[in-house]
Amino acid sequence: MKKSYVFLAALVMVVMSLFSPSVQAFSGGDGSAANPYQIETADDLVSLGDPNRVNFAAIYGKCFELTADIDLSDYEFSSAVIAPNSVAVGYFNGVEFTGYFQGNGHKISNLKIVSAQCYVGLFGVIGNGGLVTNINLCNVNITGQGNVGAVSGFIYQSSVSHSCATGLVTGESSVGGLVGVCGSGGILDNSYALCSVS
């Protein structure tokens, strides 16, 4: 009888581990500065915004590294890919990105977002010491409400450096090619956008 209980408990643990959010949804790494999470595929990148696959609070302060060019032609997003907002309009109600994202100059191409939300871009909000660098966004097509930008809808007490974007960015207010709003302590360094903004 005891053996069957032990087997059942082990089976429950295995099933729970299969369906609980994981922080191992990437191509490698452990999220440390010495061994960043490896973002190699579109699936790796998309998993960063999927609450069924990762725990936002556990990983958004970690280190990430883009290790290949990524084409997002097969995807259309309804919110920011990373650090998405969870309410339609108004204030930000989500987990902001406060970690380190090294793009290594790789291209992220054909990012399309059609959103009824505020805080829209590759990142919704980058804040509190976050650093995003060497991101190359090509041919974006992003539509949101307020705080809309190719790299991020809103940054504060954080930096976007050595990054660029091309394409189309559209919104109702606070719209920018690279970032929608650069708030208190936000830094844009050696970066540019060649986007059509409306």
Side-chain angles (χ1 to χ4, degrees), residues 3-178:
K3 286 183 180 178
S4 64
Y5 282 127
V6 170
F7 174 76
L8 184 60
L11 183 61
V12 168
M13 292 296 288
V14 169
V15 171
M16 286 177 65
S17 69
L18 288 174
F19 290 99
S20 57
S22 168
V23 295
Q24 302 300 322
F26 311 113
S27 290
D30 60 17
S32 66
N35 188 22
Y37 286 126
Q38 305 295 299
I39 307 301
E40 184 175 320
T41 66
D43 188 62
D44 288 341
L45 189 65
V46 171
S47 70
L48 267 168
D50 185 348
N52 296 310
R53 298 176 64 185
V54 297
N55 181 333
F56 297 161
I59 67 166
Y60 280 175
K62 302 288 187 179
C63 298
F64 299 85
E65 183 177 30
L66 201 59
T67 58
D69 292 347
I70 293 177
D71 187 349
L72 295 173
S73 295
D74 293 335
Y75 298 85
E76 181 176 313
F77 301 90
S78 59
S79 64
V81 181
I82 305 167
N85 200 0
S86 60
V87 295
V89 293
Y91 62 92
F92 181 74
N93 185 24
V95 179
E96 62 196 39
F97 185 83
T98 60
Y100 176 68
F101 196 105
Q102 170 60 260
N104 286 320
H106 288 296
K107 293 179 181 178
I108 299 175
S109 303
N110 303 308
L111 169 61
K112 184 175 184 180
I113 304 175
V114 180
S115 180
Q117 295 182 341
C118 296
Y119 304 96
V120 177
L122 178 64
F123 295 80
V125 174
I126 306 168
N128 200 24
L131 172 61
V132 173
T133 187
N134 292 309
I135 293 284
N136 185 356
L137 289 171
C138 300
N139 193 36
V140 303
N141 187 350
I142 299 174
T143 300
Q145 293 299 309
N147 301 329
V148 185
V151 173
S152 182
F154 187 86
I155 70 170
Y156 79 97
Q157 299 296 330
S158 59
S159 300
V160 172
S161 71
H162 299 89
S163 296
C164 60
T166 65
L168 174 64
V169 182
T170 304
E172 295 296 322
S173 62
S174 301
V175 183
L178 205 65

